[in-house]
């Protein structure tokens, strides 16, 4: 008797490989809503594991109660939560073998960078979503995930005084079409990279 793959729901024989989403932040806003809006579409065809922290965000994720949704709560009140979450991320990557990792906040990027130290090559399947101008650690963090694709809502994020020195430097070194991403409109999971950086569309929604 053929044994079923536990990562693929028997009701969806064409299910795609799992996806990991890091949506870790103490606050709640458009970045978290993006994940909540996208999840029903993603869960229709694949298993998704979400790392989250904010109480309201966790509550809304749990209300979905989908059999293919796994939620990992991160306790940001602990001083070593970045290191702990990074270890958990590495364990899940090795277990689930996801097709892509989406980091949705700055703390998520910190977790990804720490995990990439433990599991070289992790950044090759990662997308880093920079939703706005409130990014302060690009200079230190992006060089640690050089093969990740950066998704932004529009060019203004790249050109802002907060992000432009590092973002522009990465874009200049990599350059289109294999450089970091300029986002335009619709978020599609099939734009997640399977190899190195590439240009990919993404919508910034705070509905």
């Amino acid at each position: 008797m053929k044994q079923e793959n536990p990562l693929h729901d028997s009701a969806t024989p064409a299910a795609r490989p799992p996806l990991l989403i890091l949506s870790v932040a103490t606050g709640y806003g458009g970045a978290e809503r993006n994940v909540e809006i996208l999840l029903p579409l993603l869960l229709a065809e694949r298993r998704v594991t979400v790392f989250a922290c904010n109480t309201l965000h966790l509550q809304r994720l749990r209300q979905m109660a989908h059999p293919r949704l796994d939620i990992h709560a991160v306790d940001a009140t602990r001083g070593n939560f970045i290191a702990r979450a990074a270890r958990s991320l590495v364990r899940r990557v090795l277990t689930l073998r996801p097709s892509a990792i989406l980091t949705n906040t700055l703390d998520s990027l910190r977790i990804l960078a720490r995990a990439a130290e433990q599991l070289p090559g992790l950044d090759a399947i990662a997308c880093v979503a920079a939703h706005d101008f409130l990014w302060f650690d690009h200079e230190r963090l992006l060089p640690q995930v050089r093969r990740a694709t950066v998704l932004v809502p529009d060019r203004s994020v790249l050109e802002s005084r907060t992000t432009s020195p590092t973002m522009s430097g990465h874009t200049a070194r990599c350059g289109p079409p294999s450089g970091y991403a300029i986002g335009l409109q619709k978020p599609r999971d099939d734009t997640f990279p399977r190899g190195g950086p590439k240009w990919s569309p993404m919508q910034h929604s705070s509905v």
Side-chain angles (χ1 to χ4, degrees):
M1 181 177 179
K2 185 178 180 180
Q3 185 176 7
E4 288 189 1
N5 185 336
L7 298 182
H8 295 269
D9 193 300
S10 59
T12 54
R16 297 184 178 184
L19 172 68
L20 288 177
I21 299 178
L22 301 180
S23 189
V24 178
T26 54
Y28 182 88
E32 290 70 34
R33 286 295 293 139
N34 275 344
V35 169
E36 295 163 9
I37 291 168
L38 284 171
L39 268 176
L41 299 174
L42 296 171
L43 291 168
E45 58 185 17
R46 69 176 76 215
R47 182 176 296 278
V48 181
T49 297
V50 181
F51 283 57
C53 171
N54 176 269
T55 302
L56 179 57
H57 192 29
L58 284 167
Q59 177 185 336
R60 291 188 170 183
L61 292 172
R62 288 166 178 155
Q63 285 173 348
M64 295 184 187
H66 196 285
R68 285 194 290 274
L69 175 60
D70 299 313
I71 302 167
H72 177 76
V74 175
D75 184 0
T77 64
R78 306 185 68 163
N80 62 342
F81 80 94
I82 296 292
R84 291 171 60 89
R87 288 194 294 270
S88 295
L89 174 61
V90 169
R91 286 196 297 268
R92 281 164 173 78
V93 168
L94 293 175
T95 300
L96 299 176
R97 301 293 179 180
S99 60
I101 303 169
L102 172 65
T103 66
N104 198 45
T105 62
L106 185 55
D107 275 340
S108 298
L109 176 56
R110 293 186 177 111
I111 293 168
L112 176 69
R114 182 70 64 88
E117 295 176 358
Q118 304 171 32
L119 190 61
L122 188 68
D123 56 334
I125 60 167
C127 289
V128 176
H131 292 274
D132 49 39
F133 306 101
L134 303 177
W135 285 68
F136 306 102
D137 271 359
H138 280 87
E139 191 70 33
R140 179 176 65 86
L141 294 171
L142 282 178
Q144 299 177 43
V145 291
R146 291 184 179 276
R147 288 185 289 178
T149 295
V150 175
L151 304 174
V152 297
D154 54 54
R155 184 173 292 276
S156 64
V157 173
L158 288 182
E159 295 175 347
S160 75
R161 285 181 297 177
T162 303
T163 61
S164 61
T166 307
M167 287 288 203
S168 297
H170 278 266
T171 303
R173 284 195 298 275
C174 297
S178 61
Y180 285 81
I182 292 290
L184 296 177
Q185 284 297 320
K186 187 179 179 182
R188 302 200 314 266
D189 62 301
D190 61 357
T191 64
F192 294 162
R194 297 184 183 278
K198 62 182 70 174
W199 295 75
S200 304
M202 177 176 179
Q203 181 183 32
H204 177 54
S205 171
S206 57
V207 176

